[in-house]
Amino acid sequence: MSKTRNIKYQFKHCIDTHFKEGMDKHSLKAQGKNNGKIYSYSDRKNLIDLSSNFANWLKTNYPNIRQLYEINSNHIQEFLNTKIDICSQKTLEQYQSRFRKLEVLAISTYHINVDYHSAVTPLSSRNGGGKIRNAMLSTDNYNKLLKSTNTNFRKALTLSFHFGLRAAECAKLRYEDISSKGIKIIDSKGKRNRFIPVENNQQKKIIEDFLNKTGRVCPVQTGSLQQAFNREKKKQGITISNGDFHTARKAFATCKYKEFRSQGQTVQFALNNVSHLLGHGNNRNDLMKQYICCPIK
């Protein structure tokens, strides 16, 4: 790779090297001969515009980076994060797709090992990234709901808000599944098991009230907890758009994501850790964007 060409030129060279005007993209794909080619002037322009914008951003923020192989997914992530207030979710997703394309072009052109694709598409601040139902239970509203005289509802809400349990998991949970170290969830959604550890003093204090007891923690049906939530919400004058018991679980997810990011975890690592605590697998980013009610950056 040239030692004198700047980042902007290197990206443009990759793009132009793979630009094949007039070729039938669909025919080549059917033959398995796509090989990262660029077939339209609009695609070429979009890639050049993004790479040029990104190169200018690098020059300002990371002036020591001179070669494509010095760029990693953390730089891509940081750049995308600067766009959350000015770009729609669709635009951010398009940028992410183009960075993946630029990765393929760089590898093919310069035979280098780069990782641009591990960056996670952040959540646009415009309308919560398009997630209209993306609402969580605030701490203030949680405290209001705890005034309920329904003991089972109070216990379930506490478990969901501080440990991320589903309403169905609260209704099924037994005291024997709770220890001073955390909560064991057995045979939940998708027949999955998981363990939610006690990680702070507040959780430790909550757990103490559940120890040395037997039987079901909340011996009611799941629907009863949902009904109790709506009943108490109306009683306390709480307005949550499309809100139900699940908003407590979203509050837990949001809190844990912020905590993991503050500890220095990457966006993807933090998302995966939240996903595991909620009972899901790795790389469930689209799903996590429906749980985490803050900018994902």
Side-chain angles (χ1 to χ4, degrees), residues 247-290:
T247 57
R249 188 164 140 89
K250 290 184 177 184
F252 170 78
T254 303
C255 179
K256 294 306 294 185
Y257 178 76
K258 290 180 178 179
E259 178 184 323
F260 291 145
R261 288 292 285 139
S262 70
Q263 293 171 353
Q265 294 185 15
T266 65
V267 170
Q268 187 62 68
F269 200 57
L271 287 173
N272 285 345
N273 280 335
V274 172
S275 184
H276 294 158
L277 288 173
L278 294 178
H280 300 288
N282 283 334
N283 302 318
R284 299 296 305 277
N285 295 351
D286 287 340
L287 178 61
M288 288 304 98
K289 288 174 184 177
Q290 297 180 42

Side-chain angles (χ1 to χ4, degrees), residues 213-267:
K213 299 178 182 179
T214 59
R216 288 170 62 192
V217 177
C218 305
V220 295
Q221 297 297 315
T222 301
S224 297
L225 294 176
Q226 300 285 8
Q227 292 169 8
F229 184 95
N230 292 329
R231 192 164 52 245
E232 293 298 330
K233 181 178 70 171
K234 184 177 180 179
K235 181 178 178 181
Q236 295 295 334
I238 296 172
T239 301
I240 304 175
S241 178
N242 297 305
D244 59 8
F245 192 91
H246 221 54
T247 57
R249 188 164 140 89
K250 290 184 177 184
F252 170 78
T254 303
C255 179
K256 294 306 294 185
Y257 178 76
K258 290 180 178 179
E259 178 184 323
F260 291 145
R261 288 292 285 139
S262 70
Q263 293 171 353
Q265 294 185 15
T266 65
V267 170

Side-chain angles (χ1 to χ4, degrees), residues 53-71:
N53 190 358
F54 178 58
N56 289 335
W57 178 85
L58 279 176
K59 186 175 181 180
T60 299
N61 296 277
Y62 294 95
N64 293 330
I65 292 181
R66 304 295 179 85
Q67 305 295 324
L68 296 191
Y69 64 78
E70 297 177 292
I71 301 170

Side-chain angles (χ1 to χ4, degrees), residues 17-34:
T17 298
H18 291 80
F19 178 56
K20 300 296 180 182
E21 179 189 6
M23 296 185 70
D24 186 349
K25 173 174 66 175
H26 301 291
S27 175
L28 286 175
K29 280 188 174 181
Q31 300 174 40
K33 298 180 180 179
N34 184 32

